[in-house]
Amino acid sequence: MTTLASGAAHRSQHADQPGDERIAQTGRLTRLLVRPEIGSVIGAVAVFIFFAAQSDIFRSINGFANWLDPASTLGIMAVAVALLMIGGEFDLSAGVLTGTTGLALAMLTTQLGLNVWVAMALSLALALVIGFSNGFLVVRTKLPSFIVTLGTFLMLQGLNLGVTKLFTGTVQVRGIGRADGFDSAQAIFASTVTIAGADFRVSIFWWIAVTALATWVLTRTRPGNWIFAIGGNAQAARSVGVPVDKAKIALFMTTAFAAWLVGTITALRLTSVQANAGIGEELTYIVAAVVGGCLLTGGYGSAVGASVGALIFGMAEKGIVYAGWDSDWFKFFLGVMLLLATLLNSFVRRYAEEKRK
C-alpha cells in the first residue's frame, strides 16, 4: 500500500508540473507547418521582398492598389475553385463563364433595354443554371468533371462568339454605361475607394468578403466538413450520411456564382465585354488554388491559401512591369510557381500524414 501511495504521489507531482516547453513549441511548429496555406504565405513574402527591392513604386501605397486589383478578381475565382477542388472536382468552364455572364448582362441592357439590376439578376440565374447543370451531369453520369466542364467550356465559347456576332455584328458589346441603374450598380461592384491618397478598387473588398465567408464555411460549418470528407473519400463520406451529390452540385453552383460576380465586376468596370472574355483564365484559377495549398487529388486546401496564391500572381503581374521586364516572363513565373507549389504541397501532406500516425 505504501508503494502504491508513493507511486501515486510521484505521478501527481509530475502532473502538477508544466510540460516540457520544447515539446509544446514542437507541437505548435508542427501544427503551423501542416497548414495548407503556409507554403503560399512564405512564397508571398518572398515575392513581395523580391519585387519591392526592384522597384520603389511596387512597395508604395499606389503600388499596393495596383497589384491588389488583378489579385482581387483572380482571388474571388480562386477561392471558389479551391472549394470545388477540395471537394475533389474541377471546373474548366469557370473562366469562359465569367465572359458569358458579362455578355448576358451587356446584351440584356444594350439590346433589350433592361435595367442593369434586372439584367444582373437574369445573368445570375443563367450562371446558376449552368453551374447546376455541370454538377448534375457529373453526379448522374459519373463522368469526370474534367470532361463535363470541358464540354461546357467549348459550348460556351462558341455560344459567346456566335450570339455576340449575331446581335452586334462584331465580337464586342458596348454601351452598358448608358443603361438605367448603371450608376448604382457601378458604385457597388466597380467603383474605387480612396485610402491614403491611393484609389483601391471595391473588388478588393468583395475578395476579402468572399475569402472570409469561404473560410468560415470550411472551418466552422457542417457543409465544410462535408467538402473535406467528399474530397478525401466520397464513398466513405456517403456511407456515413454525407449528401455527396447535393454537396457537389452546390460546389459547382458556387463556382458559377463567383464567375457571375467577376463577370459583373469586369463588365461594369469596362462598360463593354469581349466575346472571348475569360477564355484561358480557368487554368490560372486552378494554379492559384494549387499554389495556395490545394491538392489536385482533393480533400486538402484552404480558402485563405487560394487567396494568397492569387495575391502572389497579382504581385508578379505588376512587379514584372515595375521591374522593367518583358511581360512574357509572367507565364514563365506561373509555371515555376505551379511546380514548386505542387512539390511543396506534396511534401507537407506526407509530413502531416506521418505526424498523425
Side-chain angles (χ1 to χ4, degrees), residues 21-346:
E21 185 178 351
R22 291 170 298 176
I23 296 176
Q25 291 176 347
T26 301
R28 287 194 294 269
L29 179 60
T30 300
R31 289 195 297 271
L32 178 64
L33 289 177
V34 299
R35 293 191 63 85
E37 63 272 10
I38 186 63
S40 61
V41 171
I42 295 172
V45 172
V47 170
F48 176 81
I49 292 174
F50 177 78
F51 284 115
Q54 301 290 319
S55 169
D56 293 337
I57 300 177
F58 179 87
R59 61 177 183 265
S60 68
I61 189 66
N62 285 309
F64 272 75
N66 286 334
W67 47 258
L68 283 174
D69 179 22
S72 63
T73 50
L74 172 57
I76 291 170
M77 286 304 306
V79 167
V81 168
L83 295 179
L84 185 61
M85 289 178 64
I86 294 170
E89 304 292 349
F90 292 92
D91 189 349
L92 295 183
S93 66
V96 70
L97 186 54
T98 64
T100 301
T101 55
L103 285 169
L105 169 61
M107 288 286 187
L108 291 170
T109 52
T110 62
Q111 301 299 314
L112 299 183
L114 295 183
N115 182 282
V116 169
W117 288 99
V118 175
M120 285 169 53
L122 293 175
S123 64
L124 173 59
L126 173 63
L128 294 178
V129 167
I130 293 173
F132 176 86
S133 299
N134 281 338
F136 183 81
L137 287 173
V138 168
V139 301
R140 284 304 178 95
T141 65
K142 308 301 180 184
L143 289 172
S145 55
F146 176 90
I147 297 298
V148 172
T149 57
L150 178 60
T152 303
F153 164 81
L154 295 173
M155 288 188 288
L156 291 179
Q157 182 180 6
L159 189 66
N160 289 356
L161 181 60
V163 172
T164 302
K165 292 181 70 174
L166 177 65
F167 281 94
T168 68
T170 66
V171 294
Q172 186 179 41
V173 183
R174 299 185 180 91
I176 303 175
R178 296 190 294 270
D180 293 337
F182 171 79
D183 290 339
S184 57
Q186 193 266 348
I188 294 175
F189 291 96
S191 61
T192 58
V193 178
T194 302
I195 301 175
D199 293 331
F200 289 82
R201 291 283 186 178
V202 73
S203 58
I204 297 171
F205 302 100
W206 279 104
W207 172 32
I208 294 171
V210 167
T211 303
L213 177 60
T215 300
W216 176 76
V217 170
L218 279 177
T219 60
R220 301 292 183 180
T221 69
R222 181 178 295 179
N225 292 332
W226 292 347
I227 293 170
F228 282 108
I230 293 168
N233 189 324
Q235 191 57 44
R238 195 188 306 274
S239 66
V240 295
V242 174
V244 174
D245 292 351
K246 291 181 180 179
K248 285 192 175 186
I249 292 173
L251 287 173
F252 279 103
M253 294 179 71
T254 299
T255 304
F257 173 82
W260 167 81
L261 179 57
V262 171
T264 298
I265 289 171
T266 304
L268 294 175
R269 179 185 298 185
L270 302 177
T271 69
S272 65
V273 184
Q274 293 279 352
N276 64 350
I279 295 176
E281 291 299 313
E282 58 282 336
L283 293 180
T284 306
Y285 306 151
I286 293 173
V287 171
V290 171
V291 169
C294 290
L295 293 181
L296 297 175
T297 52
Y300 189 78
S302 74
V304 172
S307 280
V308 176
L311 179 64
I312 290 174
F313 292 130
M315 288 192 292
E317 181 180 336
K318 296 300 181 181
I320 286 172
V321 175
Y322 290 145
W325 301 354
D326 191 311
S327 60
D328 290 338
W329 282 102
F330 176 68
K331 294 297 183 181
F332 173 81
F333 177 86
L334 199 68
V336 170
M337 287 303 300
L338 175 61
L339 291 175
L340 291 178
T342 303
L343 291 172
L344 179 60
N345 292 342
S346 297

